[in-house]
């Protein structure tokens, strides 16, 4: 699944190569997507490359090859209000709080979509189903769950296909594993650290680089409190 910006960039590159035979420059891509800096383009290209949509050819300037395009289907439009801090203030369909079920020792937690433990992807979409979790693994507050996609948190014991249970909150302490919303467009599961006035989103896999961002670019959506794994 691609974010709106990733999809726009991929199609822009594809159309430019088809029309001229030459990939667009970073300045042209930045202007086409109305981004303020080239760093955003670098991030989008890296994401597309990791997903197998494009390939950068070595030792050649502006050498981008489009390998495939997304399937021609409508992707649910990502709405930042769904994952904005303070779920009680959401627009649209609110995420319901955990509801006691027949077994008084268990709670039903809504699964709200997928979260990337790797290159960020659109995170929460619509409630798909629920999982049953013992209150011993929750603590106080409201919770929701997300299905993990990616391997950047494997050294923290979080694997591709796991379901993480998140306590809704908009603050975090250094060392917490959090759901972080980046630029109001992409969400990812990473370890949170403060570096001076900046925020570092740290992977638990040496194959992934730590991302250091300004505090205005990151919103905390919740803190990891539990994990569910099916065998």
């Amino acid at each position: 699944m691609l974010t709106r910006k990733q999809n726009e960039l991929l199609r822009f590159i594809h159309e430019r190569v088809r029309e001229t035979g030459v990939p667009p420059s970073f300045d042209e891509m930045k202007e086409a997507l109305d981004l303020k800096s080239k760093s955003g383009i670098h991030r989008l290209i890296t994401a597309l490359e990791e997903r197998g949509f494009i390939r950068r050819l070595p030792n050649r300037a502006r050498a981008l090859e489009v390998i495939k395009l997304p399937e021609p289907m409508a992707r649910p439009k990502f709405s930042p209000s769904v994952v904005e801090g303070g779920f009680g203030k959401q627009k649209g369909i609110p995420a319901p709080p955990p509801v006691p079920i027949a077994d008084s020792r268990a709670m039903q937690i809504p699964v709200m979509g997928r979260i990337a433990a790797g290159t960020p992807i659109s995170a929460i979409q619509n409630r798909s189903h629920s999982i049953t979790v013992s209150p011993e693994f929750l603590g106080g507050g409201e919770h929701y769950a997300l299905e993990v996609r990616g391997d950047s948190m494997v050294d923290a014991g979080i694997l591709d296909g796991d379901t993480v249970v998140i306590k809704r909150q908009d603050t975090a302490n250094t060392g917490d594993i959090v759901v972080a919303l980046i630029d109001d467009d992409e969400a990812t599961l990473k370890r949170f650290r403060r570096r001076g006035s900046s925020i570092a989103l740290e992977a638990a896999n040496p194959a992934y680089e730590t991302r250091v961002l300004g505090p205005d670019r990151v919103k905390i959506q919740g803190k990891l409190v539990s994990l569910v794994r099916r065998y």
Side-chain angles (χ1 to χ4, degrees):
M1 180 182 296
L2 298 182
T3 67
R4 178 176 55 84
K5 287 293 187 183
Q6 290 166 1
N7 190 68
E8 287 178 3
L9 180 60
L10 179 62
R11 295 192 179 278
F12 177 67
I13 295 171
H14 174 69
E15 292 297 329
R16 179 60 63 87
V17 171
R18 188 176 64 175
E19 292 173 0
T20 68
V22 180
S25 68
F26 274 63
D27 285 325
E28 291 171 331
M29 288 186 273
K30 179 170 69 73
E31 183 177 350
L33 271 68
D34 194 25
L35 295 179
K36 295 180 179 179
S37 69
K38 294 181 184 179
S39 62
I41 296 297
H42 281 284
R43 175 166 55 85
L44 293 171
I45 286 178
T46 298
L48 290 171
E49 186 176 26
E50 290 178 350
R51 284 170 171 75
F53 286 94
I54 65 174
R55 177 170 57 194
R56 282 185 272 200
L57 304 179
N59 303 319
R60 292 174 58 187
R62 292 175 56 175
L64 294 174
E65 179 183 5
V66 177
I67 299 174
K68 63 179 180 179
L69 294 174
E71 294 182 6
M73 61 176 63
R75 183 176 69 84
K77 184 177 180 181
F78 177 80
S79 174
S81 63
V82 180
V83 291
E84 235 170 24
F87 277 72
K89 300 178 182 180
Q90 295 170 323
K91 299 178 181 178
I93 301 175
V99 178
I101 55 177
D103 182 355
S104 61
R105 288 179 48 80
M107 301 293 288
Q108 196 172 42
I109 307 298
V111 179
M112 300 302 297
R114 296 176 176 177
I115 184 72
T119 303
I121 57 174
S122 296
I124 302 173
Q125 297 171 20
N126 297 311
R127 178 176 180 173
S128 57
H129 60 285
S130 299
I131 58 173
T132 302
V133 180
S134 169
E136 298 173 358
F137 298 100
L138 296 177
E142 295 186 356
H143 300 78
Y144 62 97
L146 294 168
E147 297 175 350
V148 174
R149 291 294 178 267
D151 62 355
S152 75
M153 298 301 291
V154 292
D155 288 350
I158 303 170
L159 308 181
D160 182 51
D162 287 346
T163 299
V164 290
V165 179
I166 306 297
K167 179 182 177 182
R168 298 172 186 167
Q169 59 185 62
D170 57 10
T171 61
N173 297 319
T174 289
D176 289 344
I177 295 177
V178 302
V179 173
L181 181 66
I182 302 171
D183 296 331
D184 288 327
D185 185 52
E186 299 174 328
T188 188
L189 185 72
K190 291 290 182 291
R191 195 175 297 279
F192 174 93
R193 298 194 188 279
R194 291 198 179 274
R195 291 189 178 178
S197 61
S198 298
I199 291 174
L201 299 179
E202 182 181 278
N205 181 336
Y208 292 83
E209 294 182 355
T210 296
R211 297 184 63 187
V212 181
L213 305 165
D216 58 323
R217 297 182 59 192
V218 179
K219 294 179 182 178
I220 303 302
Q221 305 301 300
K223 171 186 173 182
L224 173 70
V225 296
S226 189
L227 181 146
V228 178
R229 179 172 299 155
R230 296 181 183 275
Y231 292 93

